[in-house]
């Protein structure tokens, strides 16, 4: 077992799982403190590295593409201070960090874990219901519905439409963008890929983020939504994209590949149910929908 304890957090690796516990130091970001302890299975890991520095170094964990809904929705734009997979390491304990790197890398080699993308989420995402207030809105997600309530400083073009409620099955995407310099960020809910993109301050489907302390929590809420949507690398999307246009509109009996995809979806639903992401009711409804397609 490898363990490293720093003021920013503790990482413990037992050969199968890397447990990350945020510290209580004021330098630990609000997102990390809200997320709490996370357990990263070895099969979700793409690599690990220690980056030495003059005063402090960085222990950095790299996950496989598509393994974590938080990384999926933030797309590498999460500030380092809010990144749960980066640990600041005191120079005097660099040898411990290097030992952690060796242990994880050896386990990856022994278990022959590939570093390529995955087609199902290997991290569960945050629990719901979840409510976050940041920017010009308070957003609540209960696992089925996203609800946006506007604040007193929201632009009147958005408040005129009143609160917005979006069923999960109507969403086709979630976009999170942090504020950069003088440019505001946003959390945008997409119901149609062809819908016009308004500025976040005028878009009733978006939360305008101004770069304040609670902004990263909107990324956490976004990950709770994304983990309950179809995985972007799921095989059924690839099959649909590859299908000839002339065949897409023609009814046909399910192919063998479609049958395999549906069976895979059932396994994914079972994993989400066992990990607590889906309630008993959500799991039963989703399972029945898949069984009807079989």
């Amino acid at each position: 077992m490898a363990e490293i304890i720093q003021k920013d957090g503790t990482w413990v690796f037992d050969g199968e799982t890397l447990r990350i516990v945020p510290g209580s130091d004021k330098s630990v970001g609000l997102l990390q403190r809200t997320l709490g302890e996370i357990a990263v299975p070895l099969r979700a890991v793409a690599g690990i590295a220690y980056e030495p520095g003059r005063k402090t170094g960085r222990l950095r964990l790299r996950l496989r593409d598509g393994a974590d809904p938080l990384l999926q929705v933030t797309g590498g734009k999460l500030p380092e201070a809010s990144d749960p997979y980066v640990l600041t390491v005191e120079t005097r304990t660099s040898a411990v960090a290097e030992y952690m790197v060796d242990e994880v890398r050896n386990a990856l080699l022994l278990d022959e874990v590939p570093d390529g993308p995955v087609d199902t989420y290997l991290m569960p995402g945050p629990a719901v219901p979840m409510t976050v207030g940041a920017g010009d809105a308070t957003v609540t997600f209960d696992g089925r519905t996203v609800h946006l309530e506007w604040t007193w400083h929201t632009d009147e073009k958005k408040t005129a439409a009143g609160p917005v409620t979006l069923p999960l099955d109507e969403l086709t995407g979630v976009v999170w963008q942090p504020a950069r310099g003088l440019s505001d960020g946003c959390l945008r809910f997409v119901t149609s890929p062809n819908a016009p993109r308004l500025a976040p301050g005028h878009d009733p489907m978006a939360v305008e983020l101004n770069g304040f302390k609670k902004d990263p929590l909107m990324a956490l809420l976004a990950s709770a939504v994304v983990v309950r949507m179809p995985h972007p690398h799921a095989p059924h999307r690839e099959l649909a994209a590859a299908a000839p246009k002339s065949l897409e509109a023609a009814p046909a009996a399910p192919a063998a590949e479609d049958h395999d995809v549906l069976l895979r979806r059932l396994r994914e639903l079972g994993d989400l149910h066992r990990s607590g992401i889906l309630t008993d009711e959500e799991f039963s409804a989703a399972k029945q929908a898949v069984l009807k397609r079989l």
Side-chain angles (χ1 to χ4, degrees), residues 95-238:
V96 181
E98 291 170 350
Y99 175 70
M100 171 73 73
V101 169
D102 288 341
E103 288 293 291
V104 175
R105 286 179 176 173
N106 289 337
L108 290 171
L109 289 172
L110 288 172
D111 285 19
E112 299 181 341
V113 178
D115 61 1
V118 295
D119 58 12
T120 185
Y121 290 116
L122 303 179
M123 301 293 294
V128 294
M130 186 178 187
T131 299
V132 175
D136 64 353
T138 295
V139 184
T140 299
F141 179 57
D142 61 5
R144 296 182 179 180
T145 304
V146 176
H147 185 73
L148 291 80
E149 288 275 356
W150 308 118
T151 62
W152 62 270
H153 58 85
T154 306
D155 185 274
E156 61 181 11
K157 292 181 179 179
K158 294 170 72 169
T159 57
V164 175
T165 298
L166 301 168
L168 181 64
D169 58 9
E170 292 183 6
L171 296 180
T172 60
V174 180
V175 178
W176 179 83
Q177 180 75 35
R180 299 284 190 188
L182 298 177
S183 300
D184 290 328
C186 73
L187 170 61
R188 193 189 306 273
F189 298 97
V190 182
T191 57
S192 171
N194 299 320
R197 296 294 177 90
L198 304 175
H202 304 310
D203 188 351
M205 304 285 283
V207 179
E208 183 181 45
L209 302 176
N210 310 115
F212 295 118
K213 182 179 180 181
K214 290 186 177 181
D215 280 10
L217 295 185
M218 282 297 184
L220 200 58
L221 185 140
S223 71
V225 177
V226 164
V227 78
R228 291 168 172 81
M229 296 175 64
H231 195 282
H233 303 329
H236 67 274
R237 289 199 170 197
E238 297 171 5

Side-chain angles (χ1 to χ4, degrees), residues 246-268:
S246 60
L247 296 180
E248 287 179 355
E257 291 83 1
D258 296 330
H259 187 270
D260 292 341
V261 168
L262 294 174
L263 290 178
R264 182 193 294 270
R265 182 58 179 158
L266 282 175
R267 289 193 293 270
E268 291 176 359

